Amino acid sequence: MQTNLEASGMIEFFKVLPNLFSGGVYLTDPKSGQILFSNDFFKDNLGCKKPGKDCLESDLLAWVFKDDKEAFLEQILSPNKRNDREQIVGDYRFQMPNETLVRWFQFEKRKVNIPGMDSVLDLVFVRDVTNEKTNEINIVEQIQFFLGLFENASVGMALQDWEGGYFRINPRFTEITGYSFQNLTDLNIRRIKGEPISDEEMEYFSFFKEGVEESRLTRKDGRRINVYRRISAFRNSQGKPDFYYVFLDDVTEKKQLESYQLHSQKMETIGSLATNIAHDLNNYLQPIHVFSQLGKEQITLGKFDQNQILDYLEKIRMGADNARSMIHRIIHYSKTKNEHSVSKIDISSVIESTIPLLVAGLPKNVEAQFDFYKSPLITKVDVVQFSKILCELTSGGIFVWDDRKRGLVQIQTQPMDEVRLLISLEFTGLSLPSLSELTTLDLVNFRDEDFQWTGIHLINRYVKNWGGEFYLDKPDPMTLKVFIYLPLEESIPLHNPYKMNSETKPKDVWSEISKKKIWIVEDDEAASETISFVLSQKQINPKVFSTSTSAIQYLNEEIPDFVLSDYRLREMSGLVMIRKIKQVSPGVSAVLYTGNMDGLDAEELSKEGILVRSKPISVDELYESILLSFGFL
């Protein structure tokens, strides 16, 4: 055999072959199983190392991994497999001596006809494919791992083609939407065919648009749920999407929980606000209760000092005025529309109206003090936004309060010069870490891009939009000052929608008014008696109605000259009633008073000859409103 190989020149071929092939090569006789020739790679990695002995191909079986022995024996070593096939290829694991890791080798066996020989030999190429197989196994394991995550994920997942059809969804996706894979497939087929489908069903074919959003989704059973969805596209080399990955989560319960928590926070704030209001109201009621009781005791005993009684009455009036003013401010603040509307306003009154909310938002260890300028400081601001700014600055969301010590915020209003006013806030008791961040900032005048604290740059922008300036100052390590400068406007003139009488005013205007027909429409008996008593001091004997219907019916008897009515009446609102009266007598004067001005446009109503006043209406305000209505002011 060796002689024949040399004679045929094949030995030269096998000397050259290793240079042409990087792997192992060996030649074997299929009848005897003897390895006739092998290159160095094969000898170094798999070759038989039996000195002085012939190596057999079956010797390789000793190194084949136990799970692959049967396949290697059948595919590579079995003569029957080679009789009917020109080429055999297979991958097999080998556990080599002194090696802990398993190696993969690919065997490719081909028939070779040698010139001058009757028998056919086998030429075998051996490649080390360990790296390729390891990568392949890793990929398979990753795919299996991904499929496991996909199928068992707690969120809905789906794969969708570029036309919107689903080709894989997980069980959670079915639970969330109520649609099975077959349902969605049928829907897509109906859609492609142009068959009618509902708007709710069409929602699922809008999911293949890329992006992230929270939206409402209609389930198959018709129930609306809140969902969070994220859609990512897998694109081809041309940049076009091949398919989409859809991530879907039901956040309905989360939204409900957030809503509940928000409601709880609101209720907590309302409770804190109500506590502060009750505290202030008790302070205002205290002199009313005490001095009315003292005055009654002196009058009952018949021994009283007139000056002292007058002093008691003045203290009672001051307490009532304070309570009335507080209620007006709260109503005004709570019913102001949350819109960006700039208007002229006394800045001190804005801060006063904000006090209940501001105090309610302060931590328990922080006190607020206020010092308002005695005269009005008129400027143009968005009232609601300015109140929010005060609450944000003091609540601890921007400047963090130190809960281990007492804190204080002092708020002051004052004029700076002829064109500017100042609102200053001085903080003590803030957290030192939050203050330390200010050391790197321009504390005199900063720009938006220089100041990155959440909310502060927006506050600065609002103040600039109002024509003002915003400054910070840190006079010492424990103190922070905020300065808000705003343009100082001229005083607001009193708007009188009613024309002055061109005739000379009578000397006794109340004598003239007492001759008019005055109506009072009020469903609260105590309130109507009080107003009637106040008017009787001016010799006015009003006609009192407890319902709007009875007032309308009395139009058949007389036409009033003036109507004073509560807004909220049981049968018909006071505004509707006044407008009905004006249909009969357009020139009638009217005052509408209410404790809730929500939905009432005082400026527009004044054009109709209807003055709007807030409850409780004071004596002076009542007299002033009547004089305005008849043109005596």
Side-chain angles (χ1 to χ4, degrees):
M1 179 69 69
Q2 185 72 15
T3 304
N4 291 337
L5 284 173
E6 291 176 351
S8 64
M10 292 302 294
I11 190 66
E12 297 299 325
F13 169 75
F14 283 112
K15 288 180 181 180
V16 176
L17 187 60
N19 298 325
L20 303 178
F21 182 69
S22 59
V25 179
Y26 70 90
L27 188 68
T28 182
D29 183 0
K31 292 181 179 179
S32 63
Q34 182 181 357
I35 296 178
L36 304 176
F37 175 82
S38 62
N39 68 352
D40 291 338
F41 180 93
F42 180 80
K43 291 176 181 177
D44 292 340
N45 290 276
L46 294 171
C48 172
K49 297 182 179 180
K50 299 177 181 178
K53 295 184 179 180
D54 295 331
C55 292
L56 300 176
E57 189 178 24
S58 58
D59 293 336
L60 296 173
L61 194 62
W63 318 125
V64 177
F65 192 68
K66 60 181 181 179
D67 293 343
D68 291 349
K69 284 183 182 292
E70 184 177 349
F72 187 81
L73 178 64
E74 181 181 358
Q75 297 288 335
I76 302 300
L77 303 181
S78 174
N80 296 330
K81 289 291 181 180
R82 297 194 298 276
N83 289 338
D84 55 355
R85 297 172 62 181
E86 292 291 333
Q87 180 179 357
I88 298 174
V89 180
D91 297 337
Y92 307 97
R93 288 169 290 181
F94 279 69
Q95 182 71 61
M96 307 305 296
N98 303 322
E99 291 186 11
T100 57
L101 297 178
V102 174
R103 298 171 67 186
W104 283 87
F105 289 94
Q106 183 183 78
F107 282 71
E108 181 181 346
K109 179 173 283 192
R110 300 179 182 180
K111 294 180 180 180
V112 178
N113 292 312
I114 303 296
M117 294 184 62
D118 296 334
S119 61
V120 177
L121 302 181
D122 288 333
L123 181 63
V124 185
F125 297 90
V126 182
R127 301 176 180 86
D128 187 342
V129 293
T130 303
N131 291 336
E132 291 88 336
K133 277 292 184 179
T134 302
N135 291 337
E136 181 181 329
I137 292 172
N138 289 339
I139 292 172
V140 171
E141 289 178 348
Q142 289 175 10
I143 292 174
Q144 292 175 342
F145 178 71
F146 171 77
L147 290 177
L149 289 178
F150 185 92
E151 294 297 328
N152 301 304
S154 61
V155 295
M157 295 183 182
L159 298 176
Q160 197 175 33
D161 64 33
W162 65 275
E163 290 184 332
Y166 291 86
F167 54 86
R168 190 179 187 99
I169 64 175
N170 71 347
R172 181 57 180 157
F173 192 92
T174 298
E175 292 176 12
I176 293 174
T177 64
Y179 285 86
S180 66
F181 177 76
Q182 188 62 47
N183 293 148
L184 293 174
T185 302
D186 293 342
L187 277 178
N188 197 38
I189 293 174
R190 287 164 51 197
R191 180 178 67 91
I192 294 173
K193 289 182 177 180
E195 297 179 5
I197 61 176
S198 67
D199 294 338
E200 291 79 8
E201 292 171 333
M202 184 60 76
E203 287 187 43
Y204 295 95
F205 302 106
S206 64
F207 276 5
F208 66 92
K209 296 179 181 178
E210 287 185 80
V212 178
E213 67 173 353
E214 284 191 8
S215 59
R216 296 276 289 173
L217 180 68
T218 304
R219 286 171 43 89
K220 188 175 186 296
D221 57 13
R223 183 166 60 90
R224 297 283 289 176
I225 60 174
N226 294 305
V227 295
Y228 166 83
R229 66 182 185 183
R230 184 177 70 234
I231 299 91
S232 302
F234 290 82
R235 301 179 180 277
N236 56 28
S237 58
Q238 287 77 37
K240 296 181 180 180
D242 280 337
F243 65 93
Y244 296 89
Y245 168 68
V246 182
F247 175 98
L248 191 66
D249 194 12
D250 184 354
V251 295
T252 304
E253 186 175 345
K254 176 184 174 183
K255 285 289 185 182
Q256 291 173 345
L257 181 60
E258 289 177 352
S259 177
Y260 174 77
Q261 291 175 339
L262 180 60
H263 177 72
S264 299
Q265 292 173 357
K266 287 181 178 179
M267 293 304 296
E268 184 177 350
T269 302
I270 290 173
S272 179
L273 177 61
T275 301
N276 286 290
I277 292 174
H279 176 270
D280 292 344
L281 191 58
N282 279 330
N283 290 338
Y284 298 147
L285 292 176
Q286 186 67 28
I288 297 175
H289 177 74
V290 171
F291 291 112
S292 62
Q293 186 175 0
L294 291 175
K296 179 181 178 182
E297 290 175 355
Q298 288 194 17
I299 294 174
T300 303
L301 295 173
K303 298 177 181 180
F304 61 88
D305 183 341
Q306 182 176 351
N307 292 331
Q308 192 172 38
I309 292 296
L310 290 174
D311 184 51
Y312 290 166
L313 293 174
E314 178 62 21
K315 287 182 170 59
I316 291 171
R317 186 192 67 79
M318 288 178 62
D321 283 346
N322 288 335
R324 175 177 174 272
S325 176
M326 182 190 73
I327 292 171
H328 281 186
R329 291 196 305 269
I330 293 172
I331 291 174
H332 172 76
Y333 180 85
S334 63
K335 297 305 177 183
T336 301
K337 294 181 180 179
N338 190 13
E339 298 175 352
H340 299 294
S341 57
V342 177
S343 58
K344 283 187 177 182
I345 193 74
D346 174 22
I347 200 68
S348 298
S349 67
V350 176
I351 300 175
E352 276 193 284
S353 302
T354 312
I355 288 176
L357 288 175
L358 190 148
V359 174
L362 285 175
K364 295 180 180 180
N365 62 313
V366 178
E367 179 187 356
Q369 295 179 357
F370 303 90
D371 182 12
F372 300 119
Y373 190 65
K374 59 184 178 180
S375 300
L377 298 173
I378 307 301
T379 189
K380 286 184 178 180
V381 295
D382 179 345
V383 175
V384 174
Q385 192 59 53
F386 187 82
S387 298
K388 287 182 178 180
I389 287 174
L390 292 179
C391 292
E392 289 171 3
L393 287 172
T394 58
S395 63
I398 297 176
F399 306 123
V400 181
W401 293 104
D402 190 338
D403 57 5
R404 297 169 298 178
K405 56 188 176 183
R406 302 294 297 175
L408 175 65
V409 55
Q410 296 172 294
I411 303 177
Q412 183 181 17
T413 62
Q414 64 184 47
M416 281 305 297
D417 47 44
E418 294 182 353
V419 295
R420 293 186 307 167
L421 61 87
L422 169 65
I423 305 100
S424 62
L425 297 86
E426 182 173 336
F427 298 84
T428 54
L430 293 175
S431 173
L432 289 176
S434 66
L435 283 179
S436 63
E437 296 180 30
L438 290 169
T439 57
T440 61
L441 301 173
D442 177 6
L443 299 176
V444 179
N445 188 11
F446 60 86
R447 299 186 301 273
D448 288 350
E449 61 270 21
D450 298 330
F451 208 105
Q452 297 302 318
W453 281 11
T454 304
I456 277 288
H457 62 289
L458 293 178
I459 293 175
N460 183 42
R461 193 170 299 167
Y462 274 117
V463 174
K464 286 182 177 179
N465 289 340
W466 298 329
E469 298 173 348
F470 185 93
Y471 296 94
L472 293 176
D473 187 23
K474 189 179 175 187
D476 59 69
M478 305 299 294
T479 305
L480 177 66
K481 291 185 177 182
V482 175
F483 301 107
I484 302 175
Y485 295 93
L486 294 172
L488 185 60
E489 302 285 339
E490 295 179 358
S491 299
I492 302 177
L494 179 63
H495 175 66
N496 182 6
Y498 301 95
K499 295 181 180 180
M500 297 289 290
N501 276 350
S502 57
E503 301 176 358
T504 304
K505 296 180 184 178
K507 293 181 180 180
D508 186 358
V509 295
W510 289 109
S511 177
E512 291 295 319
I513 294 175
S514 65
K515 298 175 184 177
K516 305 291 185 179
K517 297 180 178 66
I518 309 295
W519 284 12
I520 298 174
V521 186
E522 172 61 73
D523 54 9
D524 184 85
E525 185 177 353
S528 62
E529 287 182 357
T530 302
I531 294 172
S532 296
F533 176 78
V534 171
L535 293 181
S536 69
Q537 304 304 302
K538 298 296 185 181
Q539 292 77 47
I540 297 174
N541 185 22
K543 181 69 177 178
V544 179
F545 300 91
S546 60
T547 65
S548 53
T549 303
S550 60
I552 293 296
Q553 291 174 347
Y554 201 74
L555 285 173
N556 296 325
E557 303 293 329
E558 70 174 26
I559 303 298
D561 298 304
F562 175 84
V563 178
L564 174 68
S565 175
D566 188 9
Y567 174 54
R568 297 187 181 276
L569 299 172
R570 294 185 182 88
E571 299 173 354
M572 181 191 306
S573 75
L575 179 57
V576 173
M577 180 201 67
I578 290 173
R579 284 174 171 166
K580 286 183 176 293
I581 294 175
K582 279 183 167 290
Q583 290 176 359
V584 178
S585 178
V588 66
S589 300
V591 172
L592 187 69
Y593 65 99
T594 177
N596 185 352
M597 298 183 68
D598 188 22
L600 294 177
D601 191 329
E603 186 174 347
E604 289 298 320
L605 290 175
S606 69
K607 297 176 182 178
E608 299 181 37
I610 304 173
L611 287 176
V612 180
R613 295 290 183 261
S614 297
K615 277 186 174 182
I617 188 168
S618 68
V619 174
D620 292 339
E621 193 172 21
L622 177 59
Y623 288 157
E624 179 190 45
S625 300
I626 295 174
L627 292 174
L628 276 171
S629 298
F630 284 108
F632 292 128
L633 279 180

